[in-house]
Amino acid sequence: MTSGLWELVLEGIWTTIQLLVLSSLLAAAVSFTVGIARTRRRWFVRFLAGFYTEVFRGTSALVMIFWVFFVLPLAFGWQLVPLWAGTLALGLTYGAYGSEIVRGALNAVDPAQKEGGIALGFPPAQRMRKILLPQAVPEMIPPFSNLLIELLKGTALVSVMGMGDLAFSGNLVRLALQESAEIYTYVLLIYFVIAFLLTRVMRGLEHRLKAGVR
């Protein structure tokens, strides 16, 4: 490939990383907010959190991207740039999956720990912050690692908006060179390298958090 085409691929990698970071931050915020809400005593809070989870978990991420990018402007009269449209659609969608991880990890904490916090007179927010989350978060890391890899692969969906991510850039290079096998092999390898690095980072974070709990 020429230097110009490699430049196009590098720009695609940078766009994919930007989208991954932004959407994962939004997904993490949604995951903890909705996941914790699903453990609350008030039924209305649990109902709203569960309704959100079922809606976004039961719809296609691709259709959600279409909806945010094409339908939202018609409904509300304002247009998001592709990066923010992709971030919003992916973050909300994968946040719904992450909320179930948070809910499951919190419910898996030994009930005696919660009862101990009640006995010490901790209010609910303090029990969550000082007792439940420190024990639950290390158990969330492996499933969150899988979800992060899924989110990385999901970033390829934004190419339908004409956004110059890695998948879109790889397709442009393929059209320029008429070499499908070689180009798509490169793209697969790049995704694999990014995913492998993410897995290493998450595994290191898991060991560090578990050591802190011990």
Side-chain angles (χ1 to χ4, degrees):
M1 287 196 297
T2 64
S3 59
L5 293 178
W6 274 115
E7 210 172 293
L8 184 63
V9 173
L10 291 175
E11 289 176 3
I13 294 173
W14 173 237
T15 300
T16 293
I17 291 175
Q18 282 182 292
L19 181 61
L20 174 65
V21 170
L22 292 172
S23 56
S24 62
L25 288 175
L26 176 59
V30 170
S31 296
F32 279 93
T33 302
V34 177
I36 291 173
R38 296 200 68 186
T39 65
R40 298 292 85 187
R41 286 187 175 181
R42 295 184 179 177
W43 72 267
F44 187 67
V45 174
R46 294 199 311 273
F47 172 79
L48 289 178
F51 180 76
Y52 167 85
T53 301
E54 295 304 324
V55 169
F56 279 88
R57 194 174 56 173
T59 54
S60 166
L62 179 60
V63 176
M64 189 59 66
I65 289 173
F66 279 133
W67 197 91
V68 171
F69 192 64
F70 295 110
V71 178
L72 210 57
L74 299 176
F76 298 98
W78 44 274
Q79 176 77 59
L80 291 174
V81 298
L83 177 63
W84 294 115
T87 296
L88 184 61
L90 293 174
L92 293 177
T93 300
Y94 285 88
Y97 291 100
S99 68
E100 284 296 279
I101 295 173
V102 174
R103 184 186 66 84
L106 288 174
N107 287 337
V109 175
D110 189 347
Q113 298 292 324
K114 183 178 179 180
E115 292 167 3
I118 295 173
L120 291 172
F122 288 175
Q126 197 172 13
R127 290 199 303 270
M128 179 65 66
R129 189 176 70 254
K130 292 190 173 182
I131 298 176
L132 300 179
L133 281 177
Q135 297 181 66
V137 168
E139 304 304 320
M140 299 178 194
I141 299 301
F144 266 136
S145 179
N146 288 333
L147 190 62
L148 187 60
I149 301 304
E150 288 297 320
L151 178 54
L152 168 64
K153 294 184 285 187
T155 58
L157 297 174
V158 301
S159 59
V160 299
M161 299 185 292
M163 187 175 172
D165 70 312
L166 176 57
F168 187 81
S169 299
N171 191 49
L172 291 181
V173 174
R174 180 191 68 83
L175 293 174
L177 298 179
Q178 295 296 310
E179 287 287 346
S180 298
E182 179 183 354
I183 300 306
Y184 284 133
T185 300
Y186 284 144
V187 171
L188 282 175
L189 288 174
I190 293 170
Y191 274 115
F192 171 76
V193 169
I194 298 174
F196 180 79
L197 293 175
L198 289 174
T199 302
R200 296 292 101 185
V201 170
M202 294 297 285
R203 188 164 296 176
L205 179 61
E206 179 188 0
H207 291 326
R208 187 168 184 176
L209 289 173
K210 285 188 174 180
V213 171
R214 286 195 295 268

